[in-house]
Amino acid sequence: VAGYPDGTVRPDSPVTRAETATMLYRLLTDARRNEIATEVNSFSDVSSTDWFVRMVSTMANGGYLDGYPDGTFGGNRPITRAEFVTMLVRFIGLEDRACSFPDVSRDHWAYEFIATATNAGWIAGYTDGTFGPDRTITRAEAMTTINRVLGRLPETADDLLDDMIAWPDNPPDAWYYLAVQEATNSHDYERKADTVHETWTGLQPAGNWAQYQ
């Protein structure tokens, strides 16, 4: 995940549909990305001049996302929790699961996707037991979820490196601090003895994602 030109990462800001497509686009292997790469799409609101045209077109071509019934994609719309989970599960693969959130009925359009992500331990509901499928998801929540999917979890700040990229709006006492640092720094790591957490061993240059835009 990249920050903004002003040097911030904005963890509490909502994530747009185009930003989500871009996050997953960056997780593709080079071979898969080259296989499905395109700037052609059927969305009426995604033009060749949009910054996200390659990412959205490629991910749609690979079957990882779709648009709305009216033929639009809504790239600049904040993505809902249900939409985010659906895009993520399509990227990873759908399993036949069930979920018990009271606000996600079996006839909800994203039921299977939410069930898969919940059973895999990628997402959780709120303290009142609901999932909130129509609520928007923040950048910090999105990064936390993707880190869980990838199994990339530093345990404490001691597992990080002093010369990493740091963000003025990602304070060490924030609940999402470790998740944001993990998602925004390219690094080598070693798995800890618990086989769950990691310790960073060195930083890598940031990916040149501009070449794909």
Side-chain angles (χ1 to χ4, degrees):
V1 176
Y4 291 91
D6 64 0
T8 62
V9 71
R10 305 179 194 174
D12 291 318
S13 295
V15 181
T16 67
R17 287 170 55 82
E19 288 173 332
T20 302
T22 300
M23 289 180 188
L24 299 180
Y25 174 91
R26 291 173 175 173
L27 293 178
L28 293 169
T29 63
D30 290 342
R32 178 59 174 162
R33 190 181 301 113
N34 292 333
E35 177 186 0
I36 62 176
T38 183
E39 294 189 3
V40 178
N41 66 82
S42 62
F43 302 121
S44 61
D45 60 343
V46 179
S47 70
S48 60
T49 59
D50 287 318
W51 69 264
F52 50 77
V53 61
R54 174 171 283 267
M55 285 74 78
V56 169
S57 301
T58 297
M59 297 303 286
N61 188 43
Y64 301 120
L65 57 82
D66 56 17
Y68 294 105
D70 64 359
T72 63
F73 176 70
N76 293 317
R77 290 177 56 169
I79 195 167
T80 67
R81 285 166 59 85
E83 290 173 336
F84 180 85
V85 167
T86 297
M87 205 177 292
L88 182 62
V89 171
R90 280 183 176 152
F91 183 78
I92 301 298
L94 181 67
E95 297 181 8
D96 185 15
R97 299 287 189 178
C99 70
S100 58
F101 293 118
D103 56 342
V104 182
S105 63
R106 187 168 285 277
D107 60 357
H108 189 284
W109 68 267
Y111 178 87
E112 293 177 293
F113 299 98
I114 294 170
T116 294
T118 303
N119 281 275
W122 301 337
I123 59 171
Y126 294 100
T127 53
D128 63 359
T130 63
F131 176 69
D134 297 322
R135 294 177 59 168
T136 56
I137 192 168
T138 67
R139 286 169 60 83
E141 290 171 336
M143 286 185 261
T144 299
T145 302
I146 291 176
N147 287 343
R148 287 174 181 161
V149 172
L150 299 177
R152 303 297 301 273
L153 303 170
E155 186 174 13
T156 71
D158 292 336
D159 294 318
L160 311 180
L161 295 171
D162 293 336
D163 53 346
M164 64 184 172
I165 299 171
W167 310 97
D169 54 345
N170 185 38
D173 60 349
W175 70 263
Y176 46 70
Y177 174 73
L178 293 175
V180 171
Q181 293 306 113
E182 174 67 35
T184 58
N185 283 270
S186 298
H187 57 272
D188 299 312
Y189 68 97
E190 292 181 351
R191 192 68 65 186
K192 300 178 82 168
D194 63 7
T195 71
V196 175
H197 299 99
E198 65 180 56
T199 297
W200 295 9
T201 58
L203 295 174
Q204 299 177 356
N208 180 22
W209 297 111
Q211 64 180 310
Y212 300 113
Q213 298 180 19

Short mmCIF file of all heavy atoms in Angstrom, two decimals, residues 15-68:
data_model
loop_
_atom_site.label_atom_id
_atom_site.label_comp_id
_atom_site.label_asym_id
_atom_site.label_seq_id
_atom_site.Cartn_x
_atom_site.Cartn_y
_atom_site.Cartn_z
N VAL A 15 -11.73 3.53 1.90
CA VAL A 15 -11.05 2.99 0.71
C VAL A 15 -12.04 3.00 -0.44
O VAL A 15 -13.19 2.61 -0.28
CB VAL A 15 -10.57 1.55 0.96
CG1 VAL A 15 -9.86 1.00 -0.26
CG2 VAL A 15 -9.66 1.50 2.17
N THR A 16 -11.59 3.44 -1.60
CA THR A 16 -12.48 3.43 -2.76
C THR A 16 -12.41 2.07 -3.45
O THR A 16 -11.52 1.26 -3.20
CB THR A 16 -12.09 4.51 -3.77
OG1 THR A 16 -10.82 4.19 -4.34
CG2 THR A 16 -12.04 5.88 -3.13
N ARG A 17 -13.35 1.84 -4.34
CA ARG A 17 -13.38 0.60 -5.10
C ARG A 17 -12.14 0.50 -6.00
O ARG A 17 -11.57 -0.58 -6.15
CB ARG A 17 -14.67 0.52 -5.91
CG ARG A 17 -15.89 0.25 -5.04
CD ARG A 17 -17.20 0.41 -5.78
NE ARG A 17 -17.29 -0.38 -6.99
CZ ARG A 17 -17.62 -1.68 -7.03
NH1 ARG A 17 -17.86 -2.34 -5.91
NH2 ARG A 17 -17.71 -2.32 -8.18
N ALA A 18 -11.72 1.62 -6.58
CA ALA A 18 -10.54 1.59 -7.43
C ALA A 18 -9.27 1.32 -6.62
O ALA A 18 -8.37 0.60 -7.06
CB ALA A 18 -10.39 2.92 -8.18
N GLU A 19 -9.18 1.88 -5.41
CA GLU A 19 -8.02 1.63 -4.55
C GLU A 19 -7.96 0.17 -4.15
O GLU A 19 -6.87 -0.42 -4.08
CB GLU A 19 -8.08 2.53 -3.32
CG GLU A 19 -7.80 4.00 -3.60
CD GLU A 19 -8.02 4.89 -2.40
OE1 GLU A 19 -8.85 4.55 -1.53
OE2 GLU A 19 -7.37 5.95 -2.32
N THR A 20 -9.10 -0.44 -3.88
CA THR A 20 -9.13 -1.85 -3.53
C THR A 20 -8.65 -2.71 -4.70
O THR A 20 -7.85 -3.63 -4.52
CB THR A 20 -10.54 -2.28 -3.11
OG1 THR A 20 -10.97 -1.47 -2.00
CG2 THR A 20 -10.57 -3.74 -2.70
N ALA A 21 -9.14 -2.40 -5.89
CA ALA A 21 -8.69 -3.12 -7.08
C ALA A 21 -7.19 -2.99 -7.26
O ALA A 21 -6.50 -3.95 -7.62
CB ALA A 21 -9.42 -2.60 -8.32
N THR A 22 -6.65 -1.82 -6.94
CA THR A 22 -5.21 -1.57 -7.07
C THR A 22 -4.42 -2.38 -6.06
O THR A 22 -3.36 -2.94 -6.37
CB THR A 22 -4.92 -0.07 -6.92
OG1 THR A 22 -5.63 0.65 -7.93
CG2 THR A 22 -3.43 0.22 -7.05
N MET A 23 -4.90 -2.44 -4.82
CA MET A 23 -4.22 -3.24 -3.79
C MET A 23 -4.10 -4.70 -4.24
O MET A 23 -3.02 -5.31 -4.13
CB MET A 23 -5.00 -3.19 -2.48
CG MET A 23 -4.97 -1.87 -1.75
SD MET A 23 -5.94 -1.98 -0.21
CE MET A 23 -5.95 -0.27 0.31
N LEU A 24 -5.17 -5.26 -4.75
CA LEU A 24 -5.16 -6.66 -5.16
C LEU A 24 -4.35 -6.85 -6.43
O LEU A 24 -3.68 -7.87 -6.60
CB LEU A 24 -6.59 -7.17 -5.33
CG LEU A 24 -7.45 -7.13 -4.06
CD1 LEU A 24 -8.85 -7.66 -4.34
CD2 LEU A 24 -6.80 -7.93 -2.94
N TYR A 25 -4.41 -5.89 -7.31
CA TYR A 25 -3.60 -5.92 -8.54
C TYR A 25 -2.11 -6.07 -8.19
O TYR A 25 -1.37 -6.81 -8.83
CB TYR A 25 -3.85 -4.64 -9.32
CG TYR A 25 -3.00 -4.42 -10.54
CD1 TYR A 25 -3.40 -4.87 -11.79
CD2 TYR A 25 -1.80 -3.70 -10.45
CE1 TYR A 25 -2.64 -4.63 -12.92
CE2 TYR A 25 -1.04 -3.46 -11.57
CZ TYR A 25 -1.46 -3.93 -12.80
OH TYR A 25 -0.68 -3.68 -13.92
N ARG A 26 -1.68 -5.38 -7.16
CA ARG A 26 -0.28 -5.42 -6.75
C ARG A 26 0.11 -6.76 -6.13
O ARG A 26 1.29 -7.07 -6.02
CB ARG A 26 0.01 -4.27 -5.77
CG ARG A 26 -0.05 -2.90 -6.42
CD ARG A 26 0.06 -1.78 -5.40
NE ARG A 26 0.13 -0.48 -6.07
CZ ARG A 26 0.09 0.69 -5.44
NH1 ARG A 26 -0.04 0.72 -4.12
NH2 ARG A 26 0.15 1.82 -6.12
N LEU A 27 -0.89 -7.53 -5.71
CA LEU A 27 -0.61 -8.84 -5.11
C LEU A 27 -0.53 -9.95 -6.15
O LEU A 27 -0.13 -11.07 -5.83
CB LEU A 27 -1.69 -9.19 -4.08
CG LEU A 27 -1.74 -8.32 -2.82
CD1 LEU A 27 -2.88 -8.77 -1.92
CD2 LEU A 27 -0.42 -8.38 -2.08
N LEU A 28 -0.91 -9.66 -7.39
CA LEU A 28 -0.79 -10.67 -8.44
C LEU A 28 0.66 -11.03 -8.69
O LEU A 28 1.55 -10.18 -8.54
CB LEU A 28 -1.39 -10.14 -9.75
CG LEU A 28 -2.90 -9.90 -9.81
CD1 LEU A 28 -3.25 -9.12 -11.08
CD2 LEU A 28 -3.67 -11.22 -9.77
N THR A 29 0.93 -12.26 -9.07
CA THR A 29 2.28 -12.59 -9.51
C THR A 29 2.53 -11.88 -10.84
O THR A 29 1.59 -11.52 -11.56
CB THR A 29 2.44 -14.10 -9.73
OG1 THR A 29 1.55 -14.52 -10.77
CG2 THR A 29 2.13 -14.88 -8.44
N ASP A 30 3.80 -11.66 -11.17
CA ASP A 30 4.11 -11.01 -12.44
C ASP A 30 3.54 -11.79 -13.61
O ASP A 30 3.01 -11.21 -14.57
CB ASP A 30 5.62 -10.86 -12.61
CG ASP A 30 6.21 -9.84 -11.65
OD1 ASP A 30 5.44 -9.00 -11.12
OD2 ASP A 30 7.44 -9.86 -11.43
N ALA A 31 3.61 -13.12 -13.52
CA ALA A 31 3.12 -13.96 -14.61
C ALA A 31 1.62 -13.81 -14.79
O ALA A 31 1.12 -13.68 -15.92
CB ALA A 31 3.48 -15.42 -14.36
N ARG A 32 0.88 -13.84 -13.68
CA ARG A 32 -0.58 -13.71 -13.76
C ARG A 32 -0.96 -12.31 -14.23
O ARG A 32 -1.89 -12.15 -15.04
CB ARG A 32 -1.20 -14.00 -12.40
CG ARG A 32 -2.72 -13.84 -12.34
CD ARG A 32 -3.43 -14.76 -13.32
NE ARG A 32 -4.88 -14.70 -13.14
CZ ARG A 32 -5.77 -15.11 -14.04
NH1 ARG A 32 -5.35 -15.62 -15.20
NH2 ARG A 32 -7.06 -15.04 -13.79
N ARG A 33 -0.27 -11.29 -13.73
CA ARG A 33 -0.57 -9.93 -14.13
C ARG A 33 -0.37 -9.75 -15.64
O ARG A 33 -1.19 -9.14 -16.32
CB ARG A 33 0.32 -8.95 -13.35
CG ARG A 33 -0.08 -7.48 -13.52
CD ARG A 33 0.85 -6.55 -12.76
NE ARG A 33 0.87 -6.84 -11.34
CZ ARG A 33 1.92 -7.31 -10.69
NH1 ARG A 33 3.05 -7.57 -11.34
NH2 ARG A 33 1.86 -7.53 -9.39
N ASN A 34 0.72 -10.28 -16.15
CA ASN A 34 0.99 -10.17 -17.59
C ASN A 34 -0.03 -10.96 -18.42
O ASN A 34 -0.37 -10.57 -19.53
CB ASN A 34 2.40 -10.65 -17.90
CG ASN A 34 3.47 -9.73 -17.34
OD1 ASN A 34 3.22 -8.53 -17.16
ND2 ASN A 34 4.64 -10.26 -17.04
N GLU A 35 -0.49 -12.06 -17.85
CA GLU A 35 -1.44 -12.92 -18.57
C GLU A 35 -2.78 -12.23 -18.80
O GLU A 35 -3.39 -12.38 -19.87
CB GLU A 35 -1.66 -14.20 -17.76
CG GLU A 35 -2.68 -15.15 -18.36
CD GLU A 35 -2.98 -16.33 -17.45
OE1 GLU A 35 -2.39 -16.41 -16.34
OE2 GLU A 35 -3.82 -17.17 -17.82
N ILE A 36 -3.24 -11.46 -17.82
CA ILE A 36 -4.57 -10.87 -17.91
C ILE A 36 -4.54 -9.36 -18.12
O ILE A 36 -5.59 -8.71 -18.16
CB ILE A 36 -5.40 -11.19 -16.65
CG1 ILE A 36 -4.74 -10.60 -15.40
CG2 ILE A 36 -5.59 -12.70 -16.50
CD1 ILE A 36 -5.56 -10.78 -14.12
N ALA A 37 -3.35 -8.77 -18.28
CA ALA A 37 -3.21 -7.32 -18.38
C ALA A 37 -4.00 -6.75 -19.56
O ALA A 37 -3.95 -7.28 -20.67
CB ALA A 37 -1.74 -6.95 -18.51
N THR A 38 -4.73 -5.69 -19.29
CA THR A 38 -5.49 -5.01 -20.34
C THR A 38 -5.90 -3.64 -19.83
O THR A 38 -5.94 -3.39 -18.62
CB THR A 38 -6.73 -5.81 -20.74
OG1 THR A 38 -7.40 -5.14 -21.81
CG2 THR A 38 -7.70 -5.95 -19.57
N GLU A 39 -6.20 -2.75 -20.74
CA GLU A 39 -6.80 -1.46 -20.39
C GLU A 39 -8.18 -1.34 -21.01
O GLU A 39 -8.75 -0.25 -21.08
CB GLU A 39 -5.89 -0.32 -20.82
CG GLU A 39 -4.57 -0.28 -20.05
CD GLU A 39 -3.76 0.97 -20.31
OE1 GLU A 39 -4.25 1.85 -21.05
OE2 GLU A 39 -2.64 1.07 -19.78
N VAL A 40 -8.71 -2.45 -21.46
CA VAL A 40 -10.03 -2.49 -22.08
C VAL A 40 -11.03 -3.06 -21.09
O VAL A 40 -10.75 -4.07 -20.44
CB VAL A 40 -10.01 -3.35 -23.36
CG1 VAL A 40 -11.41 -3.43 -23.96
CG2 VAL A 40 -9.03 -2.77 -24.37
N ASN A 41 -12.15 -2.41 -20.95
CA ASN A 41 -13.18 -2.89 -20.03
C ASN A 41 -14.55 -2.49 -20.55
O ASN A 41 -14.68 -1.70 -21.49
CB ASN A 41 -12.95 -2.31 -18.63
CG ASN A 41 -13.13 -0.80 -18.61
OD1 ASN A 41 -14.26 -0.30 -18.53
ND2 ASN A 41 -12.02 -0.06 -18.71
N SER A 42 -15.59 -3.04 -19.94
CA SER A 42 -16.95 -2.78 -20.37
C SER A 42 -17.69 -1.79 -19.47
O SER A 42 -18.89 -1.57 -19.64
CB SER A 42 -17.74 -4.09 -20.41
OG SER A 42 -17.80 -4.68 -19.11
N PHE A 43 -16.98 -1.18 -18.51
CA PHE A 43 -17.62 -0.26 -17.58
C PHE A 43 -17.83 1.10 -18.25
O PHE A 43 -16.90 1.67 -18.83
CB PHE A 43 -16.77 -0.09 -16.32
CG PHE A 43 -16.51 -1.37 -15.59
CD1 PHE A 43 -15.20 -1.80 -15.37
CD2 PHE A 43 -17.54 -2.15 -15.13
CE1 PHE A 43 -14.95 -2.98 -14.71
CE2 PHE A 43 -17.30 -3.35 -14.46
CZ PHE A 43 -15.99 -3.76 -14.25
N SER A 44 -19.02 1.62 -18.13
CA SER A 44 -19.34 2.89 -18.79
C SER A 44 -18.67 4.09 -18.15
O SER A 44 -18.57 5.16 -18.77
CB SER A 44 -20.86 3.10 -18.79
OG SER A 44 -21.37 3.16 -17.46
N ASP A 45 -18.18 3.92 -16.90
CA ASP A 45 -17.57 5.05 -16.20
C ASP A 45 -16.07 4.87 -15.96
O ASP A 45 -15.49 5.56 -15.11
CB ASP A 45 -18.28 5.29 -14.87
CG ASP A 45 -18.22 4.09 -13.93
OD1 ASP A 45 -17.92 2.97 -14.41
OD2 ASP A 45 -18.46 4.27 -12.72
N VAL A 46 -15.43 3.96 -16.67
CA VAL A 46 -13.97 3.78 -16.57
C VAL A 46 -13.39 4.06 -17.94
O VAL A 46 -13.51 3.25 -18.86
CB VAL A 46 -13.60 2.36 -16.11
CG1 VAL A 46 -12.07 2.23 -16.05
CG2 VAL A 46 -14.22 2.06 -14.74
N SER A 47 -12.74 5.22 -18.07
CA SER A 47 -12.21 5.64 -19.36
C SER A 47 -10.69 5.45 -19.39
O SER A 47 -10.04 5.20 -18.37
CB SER A 47 -12.54 7.11 -19.63
OG SER A 47 -11.80 7.96 -18.77
N SER A 48 -10.13 5.61 -20.56
CA SER A 48 -8.68 5.42 -20.76
C SER A 48 -7.86 6.46 -20.03
O SER A 48 -6.65 6.29 -19.85
CB SER A 48 -8.35 5.47 -22.25
OG SER A 48 -8.72 6.72 -22.82
N THR A 49 -8.48 7.55 -19.58
CA THR A 49 -7.74 8.60 -18.88
C THR A 49 -7.80 8.46 -17.36
O THR A 49 -7.13 9.22 -16.65
CB THR A 49 -8.30 9.98 -19.27
OG1 THR A 49 -9.70 10.04 -18.94
CG2 THR A 49 -8.13 10.24 -20.76
N ASP A 50 -8.56 7.52 -16.84
CA ASP A 50 -8.63 7.31 -15.39
C ASP A 50 -7.33 6.70 -14.90
O ASP A 50 -6.79 5.79 -15.53
CB ASP A 50 -9.81 6.40 -15.03
CG ASP A 50 -11.15 7.09 -15.17
OD1 ASP A 50 -11.24 8.27 -14.78
OD2 ASP A 50 -12.09 6.45 -15.68
N TRP A 51 -6.85 7.14 -13.74
CA TRP A 51 -5.58 6.64 -13.21
C TRP A 51 -5.65 5.14 -12.95
O TRP A 51 -4.64 4.44 -12.98
CB TRP A 51 -5.19 7.38 -11.94
CG TRP A 51 -6.06 7.12 -10.74
CD1 TRP A 51 -7.11 7.86 -10.31
CD2 TRP A 51 -5.94 6.03 -9.81
NE1 TRP A 51 -7.67 7.31 -9.18
CE2 TRP A 51 -6.97 6.19 -8.84
CE3 TRP A 51 -5.07 4.94 -9.69
CZ2 TRP A 51 -7.15 5.30 -7.78
CZ3 TRP A 51 -5.25 4.05 -8.63
CH2 TRP A 51 -6.27 4.24 -7.69
N PHE A 52 -6.84 4.62 -12.71
CA PHE A 52 -7.00 3.22 -12.34
C PHE A 52 -7.43 2.32 -13.49
O PHE A 52 -7.77 1.16 -13.27
CB PHE A 52 -8.00 3.09 -11.19
CG PHE A 52 -9.31 3.82 -11.42
CD1 PHE A 52 -10.29 3.30 -12.25
CD2 PHE A 52 -9.56 5.04 -10.80
CE1 PHE A 52 -11.50 3.95 -12.46
CE2 PHE A 52 -10.77 5.71 -11.00
CZ PHE A 52 -11.73 5.17 -11.83
N VAL A 53 -7.41 2.82 -14.72
CA VAL A 53 -7.96 2.05 -15.83
C VAL A 53 -7.27 0.70 -16.01
O VAL A 53 -7.91 -0.32 -16.23
CB VAL A 53 -7.92 2.85 -17.16
CG1 VAL A 53 -6.49 3.21 -17.55
CG2 VAL A 53 -8.61 2.07 -18.28
N ARG A 54 -5.94 0.66 -15.90
CA ARG A 54 -5.23 -0.61 -16.09
C ARG A 54 -5.55 -1.58 -14.97
O ARG A 54 -5.77 -2.77 -15.22
CB ARG A 54 -3.73 -0.38 -16.19
CG ARG A 54 -2.92 -1.68 -16.24
CD ARG A 54 -1.46 -1.43 -16.55
NE ARG A 54 -1.29 -1.15 -17.96
CZ ARG A 54 -1.00 -2.09 -18.87
NH1 ARG A 54 -0.87 -3.34 -18.51
NH2 ARG A 54 -0.85 -1.76 -20.13
N MET A 55 -5.55 -1.12 -13.74
CA MET A 55 -5.79 -2.01 -12.62
C MET A 55 -7.21 -2.58 -12.63
O MET A 55 -7.42 -3.78 -12.49
CB MET A 55 -5.52 -1.29 -11.29
CG MET A 55 -4.05 -1.09 -10.98
SD MET A 55 -3.26 0.20 -11.98
CE MET A 55 -3.83 1.67 -11.15
N VAL A 56 -8.19 -1.70 -12.83
CA VAL A 56 -9.58 -2.16 -12.83
C VAL A 56 -9.85 -3.06 -14.03
O VAL A 56 -10.48 -4.12 -13.90
CB VAL A 56 -10.54 -0.95 -12.83
CG1 VAL A 56 -11.98 -1.39 -13.12
CG2 VAL A 56 -10.47 -0.22 -11.49
N SER A 57 -9.36 -2.68 -15.19
CA SER A 57 -9.58 -3.48 -16.40
C SER A 57 -8.93 -4.86 -16.26
O SER A 57 -9.54 -5.88 -16.64
CB SER A 57 -9.02 -2.76 -17.62
OG SER A 57 -9.62 -1.49 -17.80
N THR A 58 -7.72 -4.88 -15.74
CA THR A 58 -7.00 -6.15 -15.59
C THR A 58 -7.70 -7.06 -14.59
O THR A 58 -7.89 -8.26 -14.84
CB THR A 58 -5.55 -5.88 -15.14
OG1 THR A 58 -4.87 -5.15 -16.16
CG2 THR A 58 -4.81 -7.18 -14.87
N MET A 59 -8.11 -6.51 -13.45
CA MET A 59 -8.75 -7.32 -12.43
C MET A 59 -10.12 -7.82 -12.90
O MET A 59 -10.53 -8.94 -12.58
CB MET A 59 -8.88 -6.54 -11.13
CG MET A 59 -7.54 -6.16 -10.51
SD MET A 59 -6.46 -7.57 -10.17
CE MET A 59 -7.28 -8.26 -8.73
N ALA A 60 -10.83 -7.01 -13.68
CA ALA A 60 -12.10 -7.45 -14.24
C ALA A 60 -11.87 -8.55 -15.26
O ALA A 60 -12.62 -9.54 -15.31
CB ALA A 60 -12.83 -6.27 -14.88
N ASN A 61 -10.83 -8.40 -16.06
CA ASN A 61 -10.51 -9.41 -17.07
C ASN A 61 -10.16 -10.74 -16.43
O ASN A 61 -10.45 -11.81 -16.98
CB ASN A 61 -9.34 -8.92 -17.92
CG ASN A 61 -9.06 -9.82 -19.11
OD1 ASN A 61 -9.98 -10.28 -19.78
ND2 ASN A 61 -7.79 -10.08 -19.38
N GLY A 62 -9.57 -10.69 -15.24
CA GLY A 62 -9.21 -11.92 -14.52
C GLY A 62 -10.36 -12.51 -13.73
O GLY A 62 -10.20 -13.57 -13.10
N GLY A 63 -11.51 -11.85 -13.72
CA GLY A 63 -12.67 -12.37 -12.99
C GLY A 63 -12.68 -12.05 -11.52
O GLY A 63 -13.44 -12.65 -10.76
N TYR A 64 -11.86 -11.09 -11.09
CA TYR A 64 -11.75 -10.78 -9.68
C TYR A 64 -12.73 -9.72 -9.21
O TYR A 64 -12.91 -9.52 -8.01
CB TYR A 64 -10.33 -10.33 -9.34
CG TYR A 64 -9.27 -11.34 -9.68
CD1 TYR A 64 -8.26 -11.05 -10.58
CD2 TYR A 64 -9.28 -12.61 -9.11
CE1 TYR A 64 -7.28 -11.99 -10.90
CE2 TYR A 64 -8.32 -13.55 -9.42
CZ TYR A 64 -7.31 -13.23 -10.31
OH TYR A 64 -6.35 -14.16 -10.63
N LEU A 65 -13.33 -9.00 -10.13
CA LEU A 65 -14.28 -7.97 -9.75
C LEU A 65 -15.30 -7.76 -10.85
O LEU A 65 -15.09 -8.15 -11.99
CB LEU A 65 -13.57 -6.65 -9.42
CG LEU A 65 -12.68 -6.01 -10.49
CD1 LEU A 65 -13.49 -5.20 -11.49
CD2 LEU A 65 -11.63 -5.12 -9.84
N ASP A 66 -16.41 -7.15 -10.49
CA ASP A 66 -17.40 -6.75 -11.48
C ASP A 66 -18.01 -5.43 -11.05
O ASP A 66 -17.65 -4.87 -10.01
CB ASP A 66 -18.47 -7.83 -11.68
CG ASP A 66 -19.18 -8.21 -10.39
OD1 ASP A 66 -19.09 -7.44 -9.41
OD2 ASP A 66 -19.83 -9.27 -10.34
N GLY A 67 -18.91 -4.92 -11.85
CA GLY A 67 -19.52 -3.64 -11.57
C GLY A 67 -20.94 -3.77 -11.08
O GLY A 67 -21.35 -4.80 -10.54
N TYR A 68 -21.70 -2.70 -11.31
CA TYR A 68 -23.08 -2.65 -10.88
C TYR A 68 -24.01 -3.00 -12.04
O TYR A 68 -23.60 -2.98 -13.20
CB TYR A 68 -23.39 -1.25 -10.34
CG TYR A 68 -22.62 -0.92 -9.09
CD1 TYR A 68 -21.52 -0.05 -9.12
CD2 TYR A 68 -22.98 -1.47 -7.86
CE1 TYR A 68 -20.81 0.25 -7.97
CE2 TYR A 68 -22.28 -1.18 -6.71
CZ TYR A 68 -21.20 -0.31 -6.76
OH TYR A 68 -20.49 -0.03 -5.62
#
